[in-house]
Amino acid sequence: MAIYQSDLLIIGSGIAGLTTAIKYAQEKPNHKVIVLTKADANESNTKYAQGGIAVVTNATDSFEKHVQDTLVAGDGLCNEEVVRVVVSEGPDRLKEIIDWGTNFDKDEHGNYDLGLEGGHTENRVLHHKDITGFEIERSLLKKVKNLKNITLYPHFFVIDLITEHQIYHQYLTVDSPKKCYGAYALDSSTGKIETFVSGNTILATGGAGQVYAYTTNPTIATGDGVAVAYRAKAKVENMQFVQFHPTALYEPSESPSFLITEAIRGFGAYLRNKNGERFMFKYDERGEMASRDIVSQSIDKELKISGDDCVYLDCNHLDKSKFIHHFPNIFEKCLTKGIIITKDWIPIVPAAHYFCGGIAVDLFGRTNIENLYANGECACTGLHGANRLASNSLLEALVYSHRIFLDLKDKEAGLTVDLSMIPEWDDQGTNSPKELVVLTHNRKELQRIMSDYLAIFRSNELIDMASARLKILHEETEKIYKKTRISPQLYELRNLITVGYLIAEQSVQQKENRGTFYNVDNC
């Protein structure tokens, strides 16, 4: 049996995974780092982040203002200690990625062109046009390629973590003492499941937006990190808090939905209903600049009242040349749809965008499983509470990458298990699938259930109905899993069903409406 060994195994190639890999590899040039990613190296949630990074860099701004904006957006459920740590450490972490070659837009005076987004009381969002995430991913991958002790394996799909359950056949619970020894991963090019053993493992797998029919997340966002951690008995928290981005381009046949960054509203765009009314002031005194949860809920209410399919972003009054300079990709996308922003309104609807919950971690990214860390959207740090403040997620990933690195830096990196004790993946008795239509059908059914029953507004009855249907989908999929050789399609479906179950289960436990969570029976 071939075993891939490393001092540090990172699953995910976005900002959370790559930043940690770079820091660790630079500090320990004689240690080996392996990064696994399920698609191409540059395919991640980070790549699609349009808005930017919220960091205090302006003399009129302050840490306290950023802290308070975050706490208000999180609707009383943020961990204030975490908020203060992330906000105060942000400038140093920002400087590092700038030193690594990340470019952010500047004004004619050479100062950073700071954007304003919903929920912020100051302009503090650094951006690169409307493709900030793409620029960050580019610079990080370039840096990784120059570090010889990092090996990046694209098209490797994590299947399960290796714990005492596999080695000693122990039955584990969330409260059991346990260690992570690495992971099993499917090599998509060969169909073989390979064994990766490491002294420490980091889950940085991104989000799970594909659990919904309408999402801004790429097709890779199937909740893999949360699902494998949950199966390994890691603590998973706050999955009921799903943030819907208020302004995704309305294209019913397209998936994922094209994101229209809320920086456009910070730039001065108006939200209007079909009759031309700027309706946001009916719901919040901040109007278009209210936080994402408020804007999404307000749009949803407008659509339920009117029966319309979408509302609109009005950019007609904005300076065209400045708009194109700041948002070139959005301008071009609209043109391809026959929308001219100087005379047409942009049709938009809310779409699933970000999970505020995930794998529970402490201030150094440690999970309740020894030697297992989590970072990025798959982690629940406590920063976001019930609703993420715009552009805080890239900041969170940078800060927690550094804190995980600090914890690893002086930690013994050696393996804590005899390699001969780690079993190969056992797929005896399974066969290649004859057809994948059942998996495709079940995935679509899952997305429809989640979008109809567990989206912006919920009720006790809808949660119960979703749970009953998810149970049936789970049972059907497990029957297929037991007799079928593993494929990415099968495992993504299993992971998405797990995420759906966690959203339903933790929605039942949530007894008050906070942030992104709204149950009509809690009123």
Side-chain angles (χ1 to χ4, degrees):
M1 174 182 69
I3 293 181
Y4 296 78
Q5 295 183 56
S6 64
D7 298 288
L8 179 61
L9 173 65
I10 299 174
I11 302 167
S13 62
I15 187 172
L18 295 184
T19 305
T20 317
I22 291 167
K23 286 175 174 287
Y24 185 87
Q26 288 184 148
E27 177 72 19
K28 296 179 178 290
N30 296 322
H31 286 202
K32 184 174 183 180
V33 180
I34 287 178
V35 178
L36 305 182
T37 183
K38 66 191 280 189
D40 293 331
N42 71 341
E43 185 68 4
S44 66
N45 279 39
T46 299
K47 175 182 173 181
Y48 296 92
Q50 288 182 356
I53 303 180
V55 184
V56 175
T57 59
N58 193 335
T60 64
D61 200 359
S62 69
F63 290 156
E64 191 59 31
K65 287 180 182 179
H66 193 175
V67 166
Q68 291 306 317
D69 289 347
T70 301
L71 295 176
V72 169
D75 206 4
L77 293 183
C78 301
N79 181 322
E80 187 169 343
E81 181 185 9
V82 170
V83 175
R84 293 187 179 280
V85 164
V86 171
V87 167
S88 63
E89 294 183 8
D92 288 340
R93 306 287 77 79
L94 174 69
K95 184 179 183 302
E96 287 172 343
I97 63 168
I98 291 172
D99 291 343
W100 293 347
T102 304
N103 298 303
F104 294 102
D105 293 344
K106 294 183 178 181
D107 61 22
E108 62 272 19
H109 304 295
N111 301 314
Y112 286 114
D113 183 20
L114 303 176
L116 177 67
E117 296 185 355
H120 291 271
T121 55
E122 292 281 346
N123 289 58
R124 64 168 68 98
V125 180
L126 290 92
H127 54 85
H128 181 86
K129 307 297 182 187
D130 52 359
I131 52 169
T132 307
F134 186 90
E135 168 62 14
I136 292 171
E137 188 76 7
R138 177 204 63 77
S139 65
L140 294 180
L141 283 171
K142 183 178 179 180
K143 185 76 173 175
V144 164
K145 289 176 182 177
N146 291 328
L147 291 167
K148 302 304 181 184
N149 54 333
I150 299 177
T151 306
L152 203 154
Y153 290 88
H155 303 286
F156 272 76
F157 190 107
V158 62
I159 297 298
D160 269 325
L161 298 174
I162 301 171
T163 65
E164 288 84 354
H165 176 73
Q166 286 84 4
I167 298 173
Y168 304 112
H169 306 289
Q170 291 181 7
Y171 176 77
L172 302 175
T173 69
V174 169
D175 297 321
S176 303
K178 46 196 170 291
K179 293 182 180 180
C180 179
Y181 304 98
Y184 295 109
L186 172 67
D187 181 347
S188 298
S189 65
T190 65
K192 293 181 179 179
I193 295 176
E194 305 289 359
T195 305
F196 290 83
V197 178
S198 185
N200 292 285
T201 301
I202 302 173
L203 290 171
T205 54
Q210 287 292 322
V211 75
Y212 288 95
Y214 301 108
T215 178
T216 63
N217 287 187
T219 55
I220 60 167
T222 53
D224 307 321
V226 170
V228 298
Y230 178 75
R231 287 196 291 270
K233 307 303 180 184
K235 292 179 181 177
V236 176
E237 298 176 341
N238 290 350
M239 292 295 288
Q240 71 274 30
F241 296 120
V242 183
Q243 185 178 80
F244 282 71
H245 198 288
T247 54
L249 184 63
Y250 176 61
E251 297 178 283
S253 61
E254 294 294 319
S255 180
S257 302
F258 182 78
L259 176 66
I260 306 290
T261 174
E262 72 182 76
I264 285 182
R265 284 181 281 127
F267 193 70
Y270 301 146
L271 280 167
R272 298 188 186 275
N273 59 25
K274 186 172 65 176
N275 298 324
E277 177 189 7
R278 283 182 68 189
F279 58 86
M280 272 307 305
F281 288 99
K282 294 192 301 186
Y283 302 101
D284 194 286
E285 63 183 10
R286 295 170 291 179
E288 282 86 359
M289 295 312 297
S291 57
R292 287 180 177 177
D293 56 332
I294 300 297
V295 180
S296 293
Q297 290 169 13
S298 301
I299 292 173
D300 197 70
K301 288 175 184 175
E302 284 291 307
L303 296 179
K304 283 181 167 61
I305 292 168
S306 67
D308 295 332
D309 293 323
C310 63
V311 295
Y312 300 89
L313 266 177
D314 174 10
C315 305
N316 295 178
H317 56 289
L318 302 177
D319 183 291
K320 181 180 178 181
S321 61
K322 290 182 178 179
F323 186 99
I324 295 172
H325 174 74
H326 285 286
F327 311 110
N329 289 281
I330 292 172
F331 179 80
E332 289 296 329
K333 176 69 174 182
C334 288
L335 275 183
T336 66
K337 300 299 177 181
I339 301 167
I340 302 172
I341 61 99
T342 52
K343 66 176 184 177
D344 301 318
W345 295 346
I346 305 171
I348 57 94
V349 291
H353 183 62
Y354 191 88
F355 282 75
C356 299
I359 307 159
V361 298
D362 66 10
L363 269 167
F364 290 91
R366 296 174 293 216
T367 72
N368 63 308
I369 300 177
E370 190 176 342
N371 301 331
L372 178 67
Y373 299 78
N375 189 14
E377 191 174 348
C378 71
C380 180
T381 65
L383 174 67
H384 307 303
N387 177 53
R388 175 175 68 100
L389 181 66
S391 292
N392 263 0
S393 52
L394 296 177
L395 170 67
E396 175 191 43
L398 287 177
V399 171
Y400 268 81
S401 291
H402 187 71
R403 290 187 144 259
I404 291 171
F405 159 70
L406 291 177
D407 197 64
L408 291 171
K409 187 171 68 168
D410 299 320
K411 187 177 179 182
E412 184 61 45
L415 300 178
T416 57
V417 66
D418 185 342
L419 289 178
S420 66
M421 298 179 67
I422 297 178
E424 291 186 68
W425 183 266
D426 184 8
D427 60 359
Q428 290 186 354
T430 62
N431 298 296
S432 298
K434 296 179 181 178
E435 52 193 24
L436 298 175
V437 64
V438 176
L439 303 183
T440 303
H441 171 83
N442 283 3
R443 180 163 172 159
K444 289 179 179 178
E445 184 177 350
L446 168 69
Q447 292 171 329
R448 194 70 265 162
I449 290 167
M450 298 300 297
S451 293
D452 289 345
Y453 300 156
L454 292 173
I456 295 174
F457 289 98
R458 304 168 201 179
S459 69
N460 293 338
E461 182 179 12
L462 290 177
I463 294 169
D464 289 344
M465 291 171 66
S467 296
R469 284 160 173 75
L470 288 169
K471 182 180 179 182
I472 293 169
L473 282 178
H474 170 74
E475 290 172 351
E476 287 182 358
T477 305
E478 287 306 296
K479 286 181 182 178
I480 297 170
Y481 170 73
K482 290 176 181 177
K483 62 183 180 182
T484 305
R485 194 161 294 139
I486 285 175
S487 66
Q489 297 94 326
L490 174 57
Y491 239 73
E492 284 186 339
L493 178 59
R494 286 188 88 215
N495 293 343
L496 285 168
I497 290 172
T498 298
V499 169
Y501 162 77
L502 288 167
I503 294 170
E505 179 188 53
Q506 295 180 7
S507 291
V508 172
Q509 298 166 5
Q510 183 66 33
K511 300 303 182 185
E512 57 181 345
N513 295 334
R514 306 290 282 271
T516 58
F517 181 86
Y518 198 99
N519 182 336
V520 297
D521 293 317
N522 287 345
C523 297

